[in-house]
Amino acid sequence: MNDISKKRTGNLISIQDSLVKARFFDDVIMGETAEISVDGKFLQAEVLQILPDPKNADAGIVEMQVFEDLTGAKIGDEVVFKGTPLSVLLGPGLLTSVWDGLQNPLYKLSEQDAYLTPGMNAPALDEEAIWDFTPIVKVGDAVAGGDVIGTVPEGKVDHKILVPFSFGPCKVESIIEKSSVNITQQVAIVVDEQGNKHELKLAFRQPVKSPIPFKERAIPTKPISTGVRVIDLLAPVGYGGTVGNPGPFGAGKTVLQHSLCKYAVADIIVMAACGERAGEAVEVFKEFAELEDPTTGESLMKRMCIFGNTSSMPVAAREASVFIALTVGEYYRYQGKKVVMLADSTSRWAQALRERSGRQGDIPGPEAFPMDIPDQIKGMYQRAGEDLGTGGSLTFIGTVSPAGGNFQEPVTQATMDATGGFWGLSQDRADAKKYPAIDPLVYTTSVYDGFISWKDRQKMLTTLNEANDIDQTISTIGLKKVPVSNYIQYQKGLTIDFCVMQQDAFEKTDACTRPERLEIINQATQNLIDNTIDFQAGDLDDEQLKELIKHKFDELRQWWRDWNYSAKTEEELAKLPKAVDKFILQEEYAV
């Protein structure tokens, strides 16, 4: 039987960037963490593979990935095996926090040094913060992993204190009365079926590669109001759903993320900045701290936590940051909260797997990614979902950054297969300043009836497709060859694109469209699609009539865009369907 209670050590025999090998003589456990001593600093690592030592039958060789910079490491440096898997500390204090990829609090580390250096660490959660604990179980009660023993208020969240998920059936031997405690203090003692006693505190560690179980998993059906019209109308995502959001650089992914964080109707937002350039990561930390939560008027960070892992950090930490963020999201889902997790960018997460796989000498798949990259991506997204047993959900939106905007590359393709929704960002739309740059003709959704009916959605999509085809025709053979009826259809599509699909994230009124407003916009849009508009030609020739049609639609588009920016009251909102009806009848509508 493995004895992991004594100190178990080894020594480095090979260093290949973030992949190292060490010789050991004691027992080692697959997947456990280790610390490598480098010039008095202790660097975190994870066991990937255990091999026999061809030179010594009494020893073994372990392959590890190191999560920190190995500069200064040398052959012979000591490795101490910890006996525990890579884990995250779960408990009150998670919200408002900003960590690196290993859950070291960045603001606490900045107090030690202006620059992050290998080996730096600090308690993941504030050990001095005091929480008002209220017990909800009593001595003699039967509990098990995931059961609630008490609560503490965490801002506006009623944070449930749970029995660690790894525990089996236990009985409560003692529990404190209502009092103020920190996360290091004991709040209860439970006894398992073997008679072993376990101390319970406000926080506990959870392995990040072991998903927190569902009580009763459900298929996501209820759509989330994101406030983004093109999403809520054409490509809604359900609570507990998954979405891949690929797009080339400069297509507006960051602004879209800001909008989703601010306006998505969710209790908790978890952000994993995975492998982002350092400048972008600093921008995320700075801007998200300044964003205002429109529902409360307070800082958006009060319902957020951020994991920041830049491209300059070792690639192994990218993999860790996504799994740690996922586990935090699962934890709050188990608490009964609606959680939205954003990972930017899963491409860089996959690149970390590619680099590790290459160093291990694995057989490469397409573009040198691991052969099992589709399975690894599916395994990541499968941790999202809705839990009917707790009432919570974890919605996972993964940003993908394909080189050159190539959606055929392996990570994007695997993401499309693994997710229920697909929001493809278009470089052409971004270049044309059509934001958000989600291509309304390149999307998928697993939500059948969202905020509008499937029939209405299909009619809108058909009109946009027809307008796109007519635009191609005009570009090819010129406007003169296009019939007037087709030109009117083209103008309808342009109007839907300009006034409905496009949205100004920096204009307070237009930045967020809730379902009530969306219903009014859809009513006006369906009226425009369904009705024939009779433009009186009179003595006008074909070219002059088309110029008149364009002028009339331009006026409508400008009026509609102004309405998007200004309409707030019920009376003002009601003007849009009336204006479209009058436009169809060619009556005066500018009121």
Side-chain angles (χ1 to χ4, degrees):
M1 184 175 179
N2 291 339
D3 182 9
I4 62 172
S5 60
K6 67 176 184 177
K7 183 177 180 180
R8 297 169 298 121
T9 63
N11 296 95
L12 292 185
I13 60 171
S14 169
I15 303 171
Q16 187 182 5
D17 201 3
S18 61
L19 188 73
V20 301
K21 291 182 180 179
R23 178 174 286 113
F24 67 92
F25 292 90
D26 298 305
D27 293 323
V28 173
I29 304 169
M30 185 70 175
E32 73 173 306
T33 53
E35 287 182 345
I36 301 172
S37 178
V38 178
D39 297 333
K41 299 175 292 188
F42 296 96
L43 311 184
Q44 296 186 62
E46 180 186 27
V47 173
L48 297 178
Q49 199 169 3
I50 302 171
L51 305 167
D53 188 345
K55 297 181 180 179
N56 189 336
D58 296 326
I61 293 175
V62 65
E63 227 176 34
M64 299 179 292
Q65 62 175 347
V66 185
F67 298 120
E68 301 180 74
D69 184 22
L70 273 166
T71 300
K74 55 188 179 295
I75 302 301
D77 282 346
E78 185 181 59
V79 178
V80 178
F81 299 100
K82 308 302 290 182
T84 55
L86 183 66
S87 60
V88 60
L89 187 63
L90 301 175
L94 289 168
L95 299 183
T96 75
S97 298
V98 178
W99 298 283
D100 68 2
L102 298 174
Q103 210 193 9
N104 292 309
L106 289 176
Y107 289 117
K108 284 286 184 183
L109 294 183
S110 68
E111 294 172 4
Q112 300 178 22
D113 197 309
Y115 298 95
L116 296 179
T117 57
M120 291 179 73
N121 61 74
L125 300 177
D126 189 346
E127 295 180 347
E128 297 177 0
I130 300 299
W131 304 95
D132 297 326
F133 174 76
T134 302
I136 63 171
V137 296
K138 59 185 183 299
V139 173
D141 284 354
V143 294
D147 286 349
V148 182
I149 62 168
T151 62
V152 302
E154 184 183 13
K156 295 185 179 297
V157 174
D158 190 28
H159 194 116
K160 299 171 183 174
I161 306 304
L162 306 177
V163 178
F165 295 101
S166 59
F167 282 31
C170 299
K171 281 198 173 181
V172 178
E173 183 178 85
S174 67
I175 188 163
I176 65 173
E177 298 293 329
K178 183 175 181 179
S179 55
S180 299
V181 293
N182 62 38
I183 63 168
T184 66
Q185 293 175 287
Q186 173 192 305
V187 296
I189 295 177
V190 296
V191 182
D192 62 25
E193 292 179 326
Q194 287 73 43
N196 300 315
K197 294 184 179 182
H198 305 273
E199 283 189 355
L200 299 186
K201 301 177 182 179
L202 298 185
F204 62 91
R205 300 204 75 88
Q206 170 69 20
V208 300
K209 294 185 179 178
S210 298
I212 293 175
F214 290 84
K215 284 189 175 181
E216 185 183 350
R217 188 164 192 166
I219 296 174
T221 54
K222 184 182 178 183
I224 301 174
S225 173
T226 65
V228 181
R229 287 193 292 269
V230 65
I231 292 174
D232 291 348
L233 285 169
L234 296 182
V237 56
Y239 284 104
T242 54
V243 176
N245 180 207
F249 297 106
K253 293 191 292 291
T254 301
V255 175
L256 180 59
Q257 286 176 346
H258 282 205
S259 293
L260 293 171
C261 288
K262 283 183 73 172
Y263 300 116
V265 179
D267 300 316
I268 309 290
I269 305 291
V270 179
M271 178 76 182
C274 170
E276 281 299 296
R277 291 186 291 274
E280 289 184 8
V282 170
E283 183 182 336
V284 167
F285 302 153
K286 183 183 176 191
E287 291 189 10
F288 274 65
E290 296 171 353
L291 288 177
E292 180 183 293
D293 187 341
T295 57
T296 63
E298 299 177 336
S299 169
L300 189 62
M301 282 301 297
K302 291 198 173 181
R303 65 179 178 111
M304 278 191 75
C305 49
I306 298 176
F307 293 87
N309 179 259
T310 68
S311 56
S312 58
M313 295 179 180
V315 293
R318 299 182 194 175
E319 180 188 3
S321 64
V322 172
F323 284 114
I324 287 175
L326 264 173
T327 308
V328 170
E330 291 175 324
Y331 174 67
Y332 276 112
R333 175 182 64 201
Y334 202 91
Q335 299 255 346
K337 306 303 178 188
K338 307 292 186 187
V339 185
V340 171
M341 176 179 160
L342 298 156
D344 183 15
S345 145
T346 56
S347 290
R348 296 190 178 98
W349 171 83
Q351 288 166 9
L353 299 180
R354 177 169 64 183
E355 291 189 31
R356 186 187 77 188
S357 174
R359 293 192 185 103
Q360 287 184 289
D362 295 339
I363 296 174
E367 296 190 19
F369 284 104
M371 290 291 288
D372 65 342
I373 191 70
D375 294 329
Q376 295 198 50
I377 289 175
K378 284 177 183 175
M380 180 175 65
Y381 281 104
Q382 283 172 355
R383 293 176 66 167
E386 184 178 16
D387 192 341
L388 291 180
T390 64
S393 64
L394 172 58
T395 306
F396 189 175
I397 301 171
T399 297
V400 188
S401 304
N406 175 22
F407 288 3
Q408 301 306 311
E409 59 89 36
V411 178
T412 304
Q413 287 296 304
T415 301
M416 290 175 69
D417 290 341
T419 56
F422 181 82
W423 303 337
L425 296 177
S426 162
Q427 186 68 64
D428 290 341
R429 289 184 69 81
D431 292 342
K433 309 302 180 190
K434 295 179 178 180
Y435 292 112
I438 296 173
D439 192 336
L441 305 180
V442 182
Y443 75 91
T444 57
T445 177
S446 59
V447 179
Y448 184 79
D449 272 330
F451 296 103
I452 64 173
S453 69
W454 180 265
K455 180 182 177 183
D456 285 354
R457 194 188 304 171
Q458 288 304 109
K459 283 160 58 180
M460 202 178 293
L461 182 61
T462 299
T463 303
L464 290 168
N465 265 309
E466 289 176 352
N468 183 64
D469 291 344
I470 296 166
D471 183 51
Q472 297 299 317
T473 302
I474 292 172
S475 300
T476 305
I477 63 174
L479 180 58
K480 288 183 179 180
K481 301 290 186 180
V482 175
V484 171
S485 59
N486 285 13
Y487 188 66
I488 293 173
Q489 190 71 359
Y490 168 65
Q491 290 292 339
K492 285 182 178 182
L494 288 184
T495 304
I496 294 169
D497 191 339
F498 184 76
C499 302
V500 181
M501 300 296 115
Q502 296 176 44
Q503 196 168 351
D504 190 342
F506 300 100
E507 206 289 321
K508 193 171 183 180
T509 304
D510 194 37
C512 175
T513 303
R514 290 290 177 227
E516 304 78 22
R517 190 184 185 97
L518 204 66
E519 186 178 345
I520 292 169
I521 291 172
N522 181 55
Q523 180 187 343
T525 303
Q526 298 303 322
N527 287 349
L528 184 65
I529 293 170
D530 291 339
N531 288 282
T532 302
I533 307 172
D534 183 18
F535 291 94
Q536 300 297 320
D539 298 329
L540 301 177
D541 60 24
D542 188 79
E543 185 177 344
Q544 291 171 327
L545 178 57
K546 288 174 183 173
E547 186 61 36
L548 173 67
I549 292 169
K550 180 181 180 301
H551 175 71
K552 293 285 188 181
F553 271 101
D554 282 344
E555 286 183 338
L556 175 65
R557 284 190 282 267
Q558 187 57 56
W559 186 93
W560 197 329
R561 177 62 71 90
D562 291 343
W563 179 91
N564 284 342
Y565 287 166
S566 61
K568 296 184 179 77
T569 66
E570 247 183 73
E571 184 181 354
E572 290 170 338
L573 293 172
K575 288 180 180 178
L576 177 61
K578 293 176 183 177
V580 171
D581 287 343
K582 288 184 177 181
F583 173 80
I584 292 166
L585 297 172
Q586 286 300 286
E587 297 176 358
E588 182 63 38
Y589 59 87
V591 290

